[in-house]
mmCIF file of all heavy atoms in Angstrom:
data_model
loop_
_atom_site.group_PDB
_atom_site.id
_atom_site.type_symbol
_atom_site.label_atom_id
_atom_site.label_comp_id
_atom_site.label_asym_id
_atom_site.label_seq_id
_atom_site.Cartn_x
_atom_site.Cartn_y
_atom_site.Cartn_z
ATOM 1 N N GLU A 275 1.756 131.631 78.868
ATOM 2 C CA GLU A 275 3.118 131.196 79.239
ATOM 3 C C GLU A 275 4.185 131.863 78.387
ATOM 4 O O GLU A 275 5.281 132.201 78.834
ATOM 5 C CB GLU A 275 3.244 129.675 79.149
ATOM 6 C CG GLU A 275 2.451 128.942 80.252
ATOM 7 C CD GLU A 275 2.902 129.316 81.646
ATOM 8 O OE1 GLU A 275 4.130 129.537 81.839
ATOM 9 O OE2 GLU A 275 2.034 129.398 82.518
ATOM 10 N N THR A 276 3.832 132.046 77.071
ATOM 11 C CA THR A 276 4.792 132.733 76.174
ATOM 12 C C THR A 276 4.985 134.155 76.568
ATOM 13 O O THR A 276 6.117 134.676 76.569
ATOM 14 C CB THR A 276 4.267 132.619 74.727
ATOM 15 O OG1 THR A 276 4.071 131.275 74.338
ATOM 16 C CG2 THR A 276 5.225 133.327 73.768
ATOM 17 N N ILE A 277 3.900 134.833 76.927
ATOM 18 C CA ILE A 277 3.985 136.261 77.360
ATOM 19 C C ILE A 277 4.876 136.332 78.609
ATOM 20 O O ILE A 277 5.757 137.209 78.680
ATOM 21 C CB ILE A 277 2.566 136.791 77.668
ATOM 22 C CG1 ILE A 277 1.743 137.000 76.374
ATOM 23 C CG2 ILE A 277 2.679 138.099 78.435
ATOM 24 C CD1 ILE A 277 2.206 138.161 75.518
ATOM 25 N N LYS A 278 4.639 135.464 79.540
ATOM 26 C CA LYS A 278 5.461 135.531 80.795
ATOM 27 C C LYS A 278 6.923 135.254 80.550
ATOM 28 O O LYS A 278 7.787 135.979 81.059
ATOM 29 C CB LYS A 278 4.908 134.494 81.818
ATOM 30 C CG LYS A 278 3.570 134.844 82.407
ATOM 31 C CD LYS A 278 3.277 134.013 83.670
ATOM 32 C CE LYS A 278 3.235 132.535 83.383
ATOM 33 N NZ LYS A 278 2.936 131.749 84.559
ATOM 34 N N SER A 279 7.228 134.244 79.762
ATOM 35 C CA SER A 279 8.626 133.840 79.529
ATOM 36 C C SER A 279 9.324 134.943 78.697
ATOM 37 O O SER A 279 10.508 135.259 78.959
ATOM 38 C CB SER A 279 8.726 132.495 78.840
ATOM 39 O OG SER A 279 8.105 132.514 77.591
ATOM 40 N N ASP A 280 8.660 135.534 77.717
ATOM 41 C CA ASP A 280 9.261 136.567 76.895
ATOM 42 C C ASP A 280 9.512 137.802 77.742
ATOM 43 O O ASP A 280 10.574 138.462 77.592
ATOM 44 C CB ASP A 280 8.341 136.938 75.723
ATOM 45 C CG ASP A 280 8.413 135.902 74.633
ATOM 46 O OD1 ASP A 280 9.252 135.017 74.669
ATOM 47 O OD2 ASP A 280 7.582 135.992 73.687
ATOM 48 N N LEU A 281 8.623 138.167 78.628
ATOM 49 C CA LEU A 281 8.829 139.321 79.476
ATOM 50 C C LEU A 281 10.010 139.116 80.389
ATOM 51 O O LEU A 281 10.861 140.025 80.599
ATOM 52 C CB LEU A 281 7.582 139.609 80.324
ATOM 53 C CG LEU A 281 7.638 140.765 81.280
ATOM 54 C CD1 LEU A 281 7.922 142.055 80.550
ATOM 55 C CD2 LEU A 281 6.340 140.872 82.102
ATOM 56 N N ARG A 282 10.146 137.933 80.969
ATOM 57 C CA ARG A 282 11.279 137.608 81.855
ATOM 58 C C ARG A 282 12.607 137.671 81.086
ATOM 59 O O ARG A 282 13.570 138.215 81.530
ATOM 60 C CB ARG A 282 11.091 136.223 82.493
ATOM 61 C CG ARG A 282 12.139 135.865 83.507
ATOM 62 C CD ARG A 282 11.935 134.452 84.052
ATOM 63 N NE ARG A 282 10.614 134.330 84.675
ATOM 64 C CZ ARG A 282 9.605 133.598 84.182
ATOM 65 N NH1 ARG A 282 9.762 132.972 83.007
ATOM 66 N NH2 ARG A 282 8.454 133.512 84.831
ATOM 67 N N ARG A 283 12.595 137.071 79.895
ATOM 68 C CA ARG A 283 13.846 137.011 79.106
ATOM 69 C C ARG A 283 14.260 138.388 78.622
ATOM 70 O O ARG A 283 15.448 138.761 78.737
ATOM 71 C CB ARG A 283 13.604 136.060 77.912
ATOM 72 C CG ARG A 283 14.800 136.000 76.931
ATOM 73 C CD ARG A 283 14.462 135.011 75.813
ATOM 74 N NE ARG A 283 13.277 135.355 75.084
ATOM 75 C CZ ARG A 283 13.236 136.197 74.065
ATOM 76 N NH1 ARG A 283 14.317 136.816 73.675
ATOM 77 N NH2 ARG A 283 12.068 136.407 73.414
ATOM 78 N N LEU A 284 13.328 139.162 78.080
ATOM 79 C CA LEU A 284 13.660 140.428 77.470
ATOM 80 C C LEU A 284 14.025 141.471 78.501
ATOM 81 O O LEU A 284 14.747 142.447 78.163
ATOM 82 C CB LEU A 284 12.532 140.896 76.607
ATOM 83 C CG LEU A 284 12.226 140.054 75.363
ATOM 84 C CD1 LEU A 284 10.944 140.485 74.666
ATOM 85 C CD2 LEU A 284 13.400 140.126 74.374
ATOM 86 N N SER A 285 13.559 141.338 79.717
ATOM 87 C CA SER A 285 13.883 142.335 80.735
ATOM 88 C C SER A 285 15.034 141.957 81.623
ATOM 89 O O SER A 285 15.441 142.701 82.529
ATOM 90 C CB SER A 285 12.650 142.570 81.612
ATOM 91 O OG SER A 285 12.252 141.390 82.317
ATOM 92 N N ALA A 286 15.679 140.791 81.362
ATOM 93 C CA ALA A 286 16.797 140.287 82.182
ATOM 94 C C ALA A 286 17.930 141.310 82.263
ATOM 95 O O ALA A 286 18.550 141.458 83.346
ATOM 96 C CB ALA A 286 17.263 138.981 81.652
ATOM 97 N N PRO A 287 18.317 142.011 81.202
ATOM 98 C CA PRO A 287 19.443 142.957 81.333
ATOM 99 C C PRO A 287 19.226 144.046 82.405
ATOM 100 O O PRO A 287 20.172 144.520 82.952
ATOM 101 C CB PRO A 287 19.521 143.567 79.944
ATOM 102 C CG PRO A 287 18.967 142.523 79.001
ATOM 103 C CD PRO A 287 17.866 141.876 79.789
ATOM 104 N N LEU A 288 17.975 144.408 82.643
ATOM 105 C CA LEU A 288 17.739 145.421 83.669
ATOM 106 C C LEU A 288 18.115 144.911 85.068
ATOM 107 O O LEU A 288 18.599 145.655 85.908
ATOM 108 C CB LEU A 288 16.262 145.814 83.652
ATOM 109 C CG LEU A 288 15.788 146.820 82.591
ATOM 110 C CD1 LEU A 288 15.645 146.132 81.240
ATOM 111 C CD2 LEU A 288 14.475 147.442 82.980
ATOM 112 N N GLY A 289 17.913 143.581 85.282
ATOM 113 C CA GLY A 289 18.243 142.996 86.576
ATOM 114 C C GLY A 289 19.743 143.068 86.868
ATOM 115 O O GLY A 289 20.144 143.401 87.996
ATOM 116 N N LYS A 290 20.550 142.736 85.902
ATOM 117 C CA LYS A 290 22.002 142.786 86.119
ATOM 118 C C LYS A 290 22.488 144.177 86.425
ATOM 119 O O LYS A 290 23.266 144.403 87.310
ATOM 120 C CB LYS A 290 22.713 142.230 84.852
ATOM 121 C CG LYS A 290 24.206 142.184 85.025
ATOM 122 C CD LYS A 290 24.923 141.570 83.810
ATOM 123 C CE LYS A 290 26.428 141.501 84.051
ATOM 124 N NZ LYS A 290 27.129 140.893 82.916
ATOM 125 N N ALA A 291 21.980 145.169 85.647
ATOM 126 C CA ALA A 291 22.389 146.546 85.897
ATOM 127 C C ALA A 291 21.933 147.025 87.237
ATOM 128 O O ALA A 291 22.670 147.723 87.985
ATOM 129 C CB ALA A 291 21.832 147.441 84.767
ATOM 130 N N ARG A 292 20.726 146.632 87.649
ATOM 131 C CA ARG A 292 20.215 147.041 88.992
ATOM 132 C C ARG A 292 21.043 146.448 90.096
ATOM 133 O O ARG A 292 21.339 147.109 91.085
ATOM 134 C CB ARG A 292 18.757 146.649 89.102
ATOM 135 C CG ARG A 292 18.111 146.920 90.474
ATOM 136 C CD ARG A 292 18.180 148.380 90.825
ATOM 137 N NE ARG A 292 17.623 148.653 92.170
ATOM 138 C CZ ARG A 292 17.760 149.769 92.797
ATOM 139 N NH1 ARG A 292 18.445 150.776 92.293
ATOM 140 N NH2 ARG A 292 17.239 149.919 93.989
ATOM 141 N N ASN A 293 21.419 145.183 89.982
ATOM 142 C CA ASN A 293 22.249 144.537 91.027
ATOM 143 C C ASN A 293 23.569 145.249 91.190
ATOM 144 O O ASN A 293 24.062 145.453 92.321
ATOM 145 C CB ASN A 293 22.500 143.068 90.647
ATOM 146 C CG ASN A 293 21.253 142.230 90.829
ATOM 147 O OD1 ASN A 293 20.300 142.585 91.487
ATOM 148 N ND2 ASN A 293 21.238 141.062 90.166
ATOM 149 N N LEU A 294 24.166 145.694 90.094
ATOM 150 C CA LEU A 294 25.425 146.418 90.195
ATOM 151 C C LEU A 294 25.238 147.807 90.765
ATOM 152 O O LEU A 294 26.067 148.263 91.556
ATOM 153 C CB LEU A 294 26.030 146.526 88.758
ATOM 154 C CG LEU A 294 26.631 145.234 88.226
ATOM 155 C CD1 LEU A 294 26.857 145.325 86.716
ATOM 156 C CD2 LEU A 294 27.963 144.934 88.917
ATOM 157 N N ASP A 295 24.115 148.463 90.458
ATOM 158 C CA ASP A 295 23.773 149.732 91.051
ATOM 159 C C ASP A 295 23.706 149.613 92.606
ATOM 160 O O ASP A 295 24.243 150.419 93.356
ATOM 161 C CB ASP A 295 22.458 150.277 90.544
ATOM 162 C CG ASP A 295 22.568 150.984 89.227
ATOM 163 O OD1 ASP A 295 23.707 151.458 88.899
ATOM 164 O OD2 ASP A 295 21.574 151.065 88.484
ATOM 165 N N VAL A 296 22.972 148.602 93.061
ATOM 166 C CA VAL A 296 22.757 148.391 94.508
ATOM 167 C C VAL A 296 24.084 148.153 95.193
ATOM 168 O O VAL A 296 24.398 148.708 96.265
ATOM 169 C CB VAL A 296 21.765 147.254 94.768
ATOM 170 C CG1 VAL A 296 21.760 146.858 96.233
ATOM 171 C CG2 VAL A 296 20.369 147.608 94.299
ATOM 172 N N PHE A 297 24.867 147.287 94.602
ATOM 173 C CA PHE A 297 26.180 146.953 95.237
ATOM 174 C C PHE A 297 27.078 148.179 95.329
ATOM 175 O O PHE A 297 27.712 148.450 96.374
ATOM 176 C CB PHE A 297 26.872 145.822 94.459
ATOM 177 C CG PHE A 297 28.125 145.342 95.136
ATOM 178 C CD1 PHE A 297 28.031 144.310 96.078
ATOM 179 C CD2 PHE A 297 29.329 145.900 94.824
ATOM 180 C CE1 PHE A 297 29.198 143.866 96.724
ATOM 181 C CE2 PHE A 297 30.507 145.424 95.444
ATOM 182 C CZ PHE A 297 30.418 144.444 96.423
ATOM 183 N N LEU A 298 27.131 148.922 94.233
ATOM 184 C CA LEU A 298 28.049 150.082 94.195
ATOM 185 C C LEU A 298 27.607 151.293 95.011
ATOM 186 O O LEU A 298 28.386 152.094 95.417
ATOM 187 C CB LEU A 298 28.309 150.511 92.735
ATOM 188 C CG LEU A 298 29.203 149.543 91.923
ATOM 189 C CD1 LEU A 298 29.082 149.855 90.465
ATOM 190 C CD2 LEU A 298 30.644 149.655 92.401
ATOM 191 N N THR A 299 26.290 151.405 95.253
ATOM 192 C CA THR A 299 25.774 152.531 95.980
ATOM 193 C C THR A 299 25.388 152.222 97.442
ATOM 194 O O THR A 299 25.249 153.113 98.250
ATOM 195 C CB THR A 299 24.528 153.128 95.284
ATOM 196 O OG1 THR A 299 23.499 152.116 95.184
ATOM 197 C CG2 THR A 299 24.911 153.636 93.917
ATOM 198 N N ARG A 300 25.225 150.940 97.753
ATOM 199 C CA ARG A 300 24.863 150.555 99.129
ATOM 200 C C ARG A 300 25.889 149.666 99.804
ATOM 201 O O ARG A 300 26.517 150.043 100.801
ATOM 202 C CB ARG A 300 23.482 149.848 99.132
ATOM 203 C CG ARG A 300 22.337 150.707 98.649
ATOM 204 C CD ARG A 300 21.035 149.908 98.729
ATOM 205 N NE ARG A 300 19.960 150.543 98.062
ATOM 206 C CZ ARG A 300 18.742 150.010 97.870
ATOM 207 N NH1 ARG A 300 18.509 148.741 98.301
ATOM 208 N NH2 ARG A 300 17.768 150.641 97.222
ATOM 209 N N THR A 301 26.050 148.466 99.241
ATOM 210 C CA THR A 301 26.899 147.452 99.903
ATOM 211 C C THR A 301 28.332 147.905 99.995
ATOM 212 O O THR A 301 28.976 147.861 101.070
ATOM 213 C CB THR A 301 26.795 146.115 99.144
ATOM 214 O OG1 THR A 301 25.439 145.753 99.008
ATOM 215 C CG2 THR A 301 27.548 145.021 99.922
ATOM 216 N N LEU A 302 28.939 148.292 98.861
ATOM 217 C CA LEU A 302 30.326 148.693 98.866
ATOM 218 C C LEU A 302 30.661 149.883 99.740
ATOM 219 O O LEU A 302 31.638 149.811 100.475
ATOM 220 C CB LEU A 302 30.819 148.901 97.411
ATOM 221 C CG LEU A 302 32.290 149.140 97.250
ATOM 222 C CD1 LEU A 302 33.111 147.968 97.778
ATOM 223 C CD2 LEU A 302 32.640 149.376 95.739
ATOM 224 N N PRO A 303 29.891 150.968 99.669
ATOM 225 C CA PRO A 303 30.173 152.085 100.559
ATOM 226 C C PRO A 303 30.176 151.721 102.027
ATOM 227 O O PRO A 303 30.975 152.248 102.825
ATOM 228 C CB PRO A 303 29.056 153.099 100.264
ATOM 229 C CG PRO A 303 28.680 152.782 98.851
ATOM 230 C CD PRO A 303 28.781 151.300 98.732
ATOM 231 N N ASN A 304 29.288 150.806 102.455
ATOM 232 C CA ASN A 304 29.281 150.362 103.841
ATOM 233 C C ASN A 304 30.584 149.628 104.183
ATOM 234 O O ASN A 304 31.123 149.807 105.292
ATOM 235 C CB ASN A 304 28.065 149.451 104.072
ATOM 236 C CG ASN A 304 26.756 150.195 104.063
ATOM 237 O OD1 ASN A 304 26.707 151.399 104.310
ATOM 238 N ND2 ASN A 304 25.663 149.463 103.799
ATOM 239 N N GLU A 305 31.079 148.816 103.249
ATOM 240 C CA GLU A 305 32.304 148.099 103.513
ATOM 241 C C GLU A 305 33.512 149.045 103.509
ATOM 242 O O GLU A 305 34.453 148.896 104.286
ATOM 243 C CB GLU A 305 32.489 146.991 102.457
ATOM 244 C CG GLU A 305 31.496 145.842 102.557
ATOM 245 C CD GLU A 305 31.549 145.197 103.944
ATOM 246 O OE1 GLU A 305 32.677 144.812 104.387
ATOM 247 O OE2 GLU A 305 30.486 145.120 104.602
ATOM 248 N N VAL A 306 33.470 150.040 102.664
ATOM 249 C CA VAL A 306 34.566 151.031 102.604
ATOM 250 C C VAL A 306 34.605 151.772 103.957
ATOM 251 O O VAL A 306 35.681 152.051 104.479
ATOM 252 C CB VAL A 306 34.335 152.022 101.462
ATOM 253 C CG1 VAL A 306 35.339 153.177 101.555
ATOM 254 C CG2 VAL A 306 34.558 151.303 100.108
ATOM 255 N N GLU A 307 33.423 152.107 104.511
ATOM 256 C CA GLU A 307 33.402 152.812 105.789
ATOM 257 C C GLU A 307 33.928 151.924 106.902
ATOM 258 O O GLU A 307 34.622 152.412 107.833
ATOM 259 C CB GLU A 307 31.984 153.260 106.119
ATOM 260 C CG GLU A 307 31.836 154.091 107.352
ATOM 261 C CD GLU A 307 30.399 154.593 107.556
ATOM 262 O OE1 GLU A 307 29.611 154.418 106.626
ATOM 263 O OE2 GLU A 307 30.147 155.164 108.633
ATOM 264 N N ARG A 308 33.614 150.639 106.855
ATOM 265 C CA ARG A 308 34.114 149.741 107.906
ATOM 266 C C ARG A 308 35.594 149.463 107.797
ATOM 267 O O ARG A 308 36.294 149.257 108.758
ATOM 268 C CB ARG A 308 33.338 148.409 107.812
ATOM 269 C CG ARG A 308 31.881 148.453 108.261
ATOM 270 C CD ARG A 308 31.157 147.156 107.961
ATOM 271 N NE ARG A 308 31.805 146.050 108.658
ATOM 272 C CZ ARG A 308 31.588 144.769 108.365
ATOM 273 N NH1 ARG A 308 30.794 144.453 107.344
ATOM 274 N NH2 ARG A 308 32.165 143.812 109.049
ATOM 275 N N HIS A 309 36.084 149.420 106.524
ATOM 276 C CA HIS A 309 37.502 149.083 106.295
ATOM 277 C C HIS A 309 38.159 150.137 105.417
ATOM 278 O O HIS A 309 38.642 149.870 104.351
ATOM 279 C CB HIS A 309 37.593 147.716 105.583
ATOM 280 C CG HIS A 309 36.891 146.629 106.340
ATOM 281 N ND1 HIS A 309 37.364 146.089 107.483
ATOM 282 C CD2 HIS A 309 35.729 145.961 106.086
ATOM 283 C CE1 HIS A 309 36.549 145.104 107.913
ATOM 284 N NE2 HIS A 309 35.529 145.023 107.077
ATOM 285 N N HIS A 310 38.110 151.370 105.897
ATOM 286 C CA HIS A 310 38.638 152.501 105.122
ATOM 287 C C HIS A 310 40.104 152.384 104.837
ATOM 288 O O HIS A 310 40.631 153.041 103.940
ATOM 289 C CB HIS A 310 38.301 153.816 105.779
ATOM 290 C CG HIS A 310 38.817 153.912 107.200
ATOM 291 N ND1 HIS A 310 40.127 154.221 107.493
ATOM 292 C CD2 HIS A 310 38.190 153.664 108.377
ATOM 293 C CE1 HIS A 310 40.284 154.206 108.809
ATOM 294 N NE2 HIS A 310 39.130 153.876 109.349
#
Side-chain angles (χ1 to χ4, degrees):
E275 290 301 322
T276 301
I277 289 287
K278 288 196 298 181
S279 62
D280 284 350
L281 179 60
R282 185 183 301 110
R283 174 178 59 85
L284 293 172
S285 62
L288 281 76
K290 182 176 181 180
R292 176 60 183 167
N293 288 341
L294 287 163
D295 277 337
V296 170
F297 186 86
L298 286 166
T299 59
R300 297 182 191 173
T301 307
L302 186 58
N304 290 336
E305 291 303 307
V306 170
E307 186 176 350
R308 288 174 59 196
H309 304 288
H310 55 83

